[in-house]
Amino acid sequence: MICPQCKAENIDGKNFCSDCGCLLSPQLKPLVRSQVEEYIKEHFNDRNTVDIETTQLIDERFMKWSKWFLAPATVLLAILAATLTLLGISDYSDFHKTVQRASEELKPKLEQALREADSATKKSKEATEKSGEAIDSINAATAKMDRQLSSVQRLSDMVAGLESQTANRITSASKHVEERMTDLDNKVESANGEIVAQQGKLTSTNELVTAMFSKGQVETFYPGAGDNPTFALLALPTVTGQPQKGAIVYMLLKAVPIFQTVQINYRIYVQPKSSYHLDGNVLIFFWGDPSDNIKQFPLEVSYVPDPTYKGPVYTSLSVKDGHIVADSHTLQ
């Protein structure tokens, strides 16, 4: 269907043009006219009143502002008239229809916008509530985190204190260990010195023993030859009615012997060490058989000289008044 006013195409069955709002159905014109007349009758007085008041206000303001705004207002009115003409609005009736039509077209959109605004408001409210809950959760988490941080700080302080104590103890222990190690090193060094000294002594002793035994001597005495400067025999008194038995033998050795090395041999017999003793370089020996028996075989004495001896060394033996004298010393 073609609009008779703006020539726009419209869908068949429409009563008004979708572009300009012109009435498309001729049979509705009487109905519309009657409704318009009725509306004018009901609202004419109010509209006249409004028009008069508006005209008065405009006149007053126009007279007041005409000096500054006459030319711009003229231009604006011309532009407004041209705009309305281009829109197809020639009188107040057309303008009112256009406004009403625009209002009807905008009403659903406005309602939709209001519904969307309500929905947005509800969502905003829900978001605000959730935001409040989130803020409360964040505050609770922050408080919990603060408590945990406080606990962590306390633990950190405790750990720092323990580390300090441990470091001090380690330092003290290290110092004590170093002192003990120094003391042990000194003791070990001293012990090593003593060991070296003992080794030297052992070496000297071994050398001494080797030297002494390498210088061992053997001397032979002949009891049958009688008393002489190196040998003397003192027979023990005879008991009445019994044969004579026992004698004390004195032998002058060339050097003072080491007692443990002395050995007296008579023929094939070795005399026990308990049977003799030393007085300087004089070996005193007890003979248990009759004194005449010892004169049958020589006595052989082997020994090692004592190089450490510092006492007297006798040069000869003699018998005086029944006593044996070594040089001027009477032997017991």
Side-chain angles (χ1 to χ4, degrees), residues 222-289:
Y222 298 95
D227 297 335
N228 58 67
T230 60
F231 182 86
L233 178 63
L234 185 62
L236 296 179
T238 301
V239 179
T240 304
Q242 293 184 2
Q244 194 278 332
K245 191 175 182 179
I248 299 175
V249 181
Y250 297 85
M251 293 176 284
L252 183 65
L253 302 178
K254 295 178 181 179
V256 177
I258 298 174
F259 180 76
Q260 290 80 1
T261 64
V262 176
Q263 181 175 299
I264 302 174
N265 296 325
Y266 177 77
R267 199 180 177 190
I268 60 174
Y269 304 103
V270 176
Q271 300 302 317
K273 291 184 180 297
S274 60
S275 65
Y276 56 85
H277 69 278
L278 287 170
D279 187 347
N281 60 327
V282 178
L283 176 62
I284 303 171
F285 166 60
F286 177 76
W287 177 260
D289 292 334

Side-chain angles (χ1 to χ4, degrees), residues 177-244:
V177 169
E178 288 178 358
E179 292 175 353
R180 292 297 302 275
M181 289 297 295
T182 302
D183 185 42
L184 288 175
D185 289 339
N186 294 333
K187 289 182 178 179
V188 169
E189 186 176 357
S190 176
N192 288 333
E194 292 179 0
I195 290 172
V196 171
Q198 291 295 332
Q199 287 177 343
K201 290 181 181 180
L202 288 174
T203 302
S204 300
T205 303
N206 290 334
E207 292 176 353
L208 177 61
V209 171
T210 302
M212 286 191 303
F213 279 95
S214 66
K215 294 181 180 181
Q217 296 186 16
V218 178
E219 296 184 29
T220 303
F221 297 89
Y222 298 95
D227 297 335
N228 58 67
T230 60
F231 182 86
L233 178 63
L234 185 62
L236 296 179
T238 301
V239 179
T240 304
Q242 293 184 2
Q244 194 278 332

Side-chain angles (χ1 to χ4, degrees), residues 2-34:
I2 303 301
C3 177
Q5 182 171 334
C6 66
K7 309 302 181 181
E9 291 185 2
N10 291 274
I11 300 173
D12 293 341
K14 289 188 68 175
N15 295 324
F16 297 94
C17 177
S18 59
D19 288 346
C20 66
C22 180
L23 186 64
L24 298 178
S25 298
Q27 62 270 21
L28 293 176
K29 286 184 177 181
L31 179 60
V32 171
R33 185 178 296 276
S34 63

Side-chain angles (χ1 to χ4, degrees), residues 75-270:
V75 174
L76 290 175
L77 289 174
I79 294 172
L80 179 60
T83 302
L84 293 176
T85 302
L86 291 175
L87 294 175
I89 300 173
S90 58
D91 56 12
Y92 179 80
S93 171
D94 292 337
F95 179 73
H96 184 269
K97 291 178 181 179
T98 301
V99 172
Q100 186 175 6
R101 185 172 65 254
S103 176
E104 291 177 354
E105 291 177 355
L106 291 175
K107 185 177 181 180
K109 295 181 180 179
L110 180 61
E111 291 177 351
Q112 179 66 25
L114 291 174
R115 287 194 296 272
E116 292 177 356
D118 291 338
S119 176
T121 302
K122 292 180 180 179
K123 291 181 179 180
S124 175
K125 185 177 180 180
E126 293 176 356
T128 302
E129 293 176 354
K130 291 182 179 180
S131 175
E133 294 176 356
I135 291 173
D136 293 338
S137 300
I138 291 172
N139 291 334
T142 302
K144 184 176 180 181
M145 184 177 65
D146 290 339
R147 292 193 297 271
Q148 292 176 349
L149 286 174
S150 178
S151 300
V152 169
Q153 184 63 40
R154 289 195 299 272
L155 290 175
S156 177
D157 294 339
M158 291 176 63
V159 170
L162 291 175
E163 288 179 349
S164 178
Q165 293 178 5
T166 303
N168 292 335
R169 291 180 179 177
I170 290 174
T171 302
S172 177
S174 299
K175 184 178 180 181
H176 180 68
V177 169
E178 288 178 358
E179 292 175 353
R180 292 297 302 275
M181 289 297 295
T182 302
D183 185 42
L184 288 175
D185 289 339
N186 294 333
K187 289 182 178 179
V188 169
E189 186 176 357
S190 176
N192 288 333
E194 292 179 0
I195 290 172
V196 171
Q198 291 295 332
Q199 287 177 343
K201 290 181 181 180
L202 288 174
T203 302
S204 300
T205 303
N206 290 334
E207 292 176 353
L208 177 61
V209 171
T210 302
M212 286 191 303
F213 279 95
S214 66
K215 294 181 180 181
Q217 296 186 16
V218 178
E219 296 184 29
T220 303
F221 297 89
Y222 298 95
D227 297 335
N228 58 67
T230 60
F231 182 86
L233 178 63
L234 185 62
L236 296 179
T238 301
V239 179
T240 304
Q242 293 184 2
Q244 194 278 332
K245 191 175 182 179
I248 299 175
V249 181
Y250 297 85
M251 293 176 284
L252 183 65
L253 302 178
K254 295 178 181 179
V256 177
I258 298 174
F259 180 76
Q260 290 80 1
T261 64
V262 176
Q263 181 175 299
I264 302 174
N265 296 325
Y266 177 77
R267 199 180 177 190
I268 60 174
Y269 304 103
V270 176

